[in-house]
Amino acid sequence: EVQLVESGGGWVQPGRSLRLSCAASGFTFDGYSMHWVRQAPGKGLEWVSSISWQSASIGYADSVKGRFTISRDNAKNSLYLQMNSLRAEDTALYYCTKGYSVVVPASPDYWGQGTLVTVSS
Amino acid sequence: QSALTQPASVSGSPGQSITFSCTGTSSDVGNYNLVSWYQQHPGKAPKLIIYEGSKRPSGVSNRFSGSKSGNTASLTISGLQAEDEADYYCCSYAGNNTFVFGGGTKLTVL
């Protein structure tokens, strides 16, 4: 069974940093791309970032480019999101997700339960 | 990276068929056959119901079907059921290792 468990969320002041982690199990982690997707309270889904299986291909939403950094450790079956210069508009539930395919640019199939990030003074 | 355009809400009666639209541009929906659809019930994580425009993951009901024409993708639910009441989101690959979601459509089953 695929399991994605996020951690690292919490309350942080604007301008500060936070690092999210995602522990993956139940599939061959180093065979799939991974994504972070967020959802602000009461709002829709927003794709944040993705990383290919070997970290060779990385993409970011314009809203986080230059502030967030995605990374993975295939030896630890873990995905990370380093978030710097946080803003109030980054407040959201952050989901760790797995790409559905090893072949094409693959949007998420499995999702974790999310970790809540609140940016406020 | 502009969000794909989805109607805010749709409604239908049990047993009906209903279609959701998702409009993008020639840089995303129109350029790739890589549109996915997600169903999200309140307080739950999204669930993938369609990928690559029209393919269903294992276990997803064949009442869900997807298609695309030009820059617009569509999701159709046939034989509407009360349990289908949820938010529905489309997502497209947009090139350069980026993806974009639509704003979501709230389905109400009357």
Side-chain angles (χ1 to χ4, degrees):
Chain A
E1 177 193 5
V2 172
Q3 288 199 327
L4 300 167
V5 181
E6 303 93 338
S7 60
W11 174 82
V12 63
Q13 292 180 316
R16 303 299 291 266
S17 300
L18 210 56
R19 189 193 195 210
L20 305 183
S21 299
C22 171
S25 61
F27 66 102
T28 306
F29 182 73
D30 61 6
Y32 291 88
S33 61
M34 298 292 293
H35 306 257
W36 289 99
V37 178
R38 68 185 181 184
Q39 187 167 33
K43 302 296 185 182
L45 301 172
E46 181 185 13
W47 175 83
V48 173
S49 182
S50 72
I51 185 168
S52 62
W53 62 288
Q54 276 192 323
S55 306
S57 297
I58 288 175
Y60 297 98
D62 287 343
S63 58
V64 307
K65 197 175 297 183
R67 300 187 298 123
F68 290 12
T69 302
I70 192 172
S71 62
R72 64 191 294 163
D73 186 337
N74 288 342
K76 296 182 177 179
N77 286 0
S78 293
L79 176 72
Y80 307 100
L81 186 68
Q82 177 67 43
M83 304 186 296
N84 299 330
S85 304
L86 282 161
R87 306 167 180 167
E89 53 264 36
D90 295 319
T91 294
L93 185 66
Y94 284 73
Y95 290 104
C96 167
T97 73
K98 165 190 164 292
Y100 69 77
S101 171
V102 300
V103 178
V104 298
S107 63
D109 56 0
Y110 288 92
W111 300 62
Q113 287 306 303
T115 185
L116 183 62
V117 173
T118 302
V119 184
S120 171
S121 54
Chain B
Q1 294 172 351
S2 298
L4 307 177
T5 301
Q6 296 184 251
S9 64
V10 298
S11 62
S13 300
Q16 280 186 326
S17 290
I18 200 156
T19 298
F20 304 79
S21 64
C22 169
T23 302
T25 69
S26 57
S27 296
D28 39 61
V29 174
N31 198 35
Y32 304 97
N33 197 26
L34 293 172
V35 174
S36 298
W37 289 89
Y38 298 86
Q39 176 192 62
Q40 187 180 33
H41 288 106
K44 301 292 187 181
K47 174 187 176 183
L48 178 67
I49 55 175
I50 294 288
Y51 66 99
E52 292 175 18
S54 60
K55 298 178 180 179
R56 280 188 308 275
S58 174
V60 173
S61 170
N62 59 9
R63 297 187 300 106
F64 294 92
S65 61
S67 63
K68 190 188 85 167
S69 177
N71 296 337
T72 299
S74 300
L75 170 72
T76 298
I77 307 176
S78 59
L80 203 59
Q81 299 178 0
E83 67 209 47
D84 298 331
E85 186 163 292
D87 294 327
Y88 290 84
Y89 295 90
C90 59
C91 175
S92 175
Y93 182 63
N96 295 318
N97 306 305
T98 67
F99 292 80
V100 60
F101 278 93
T105 298
K106 181 178 180 60
L107 170 63
T108 299
V109 180
L110 303 171

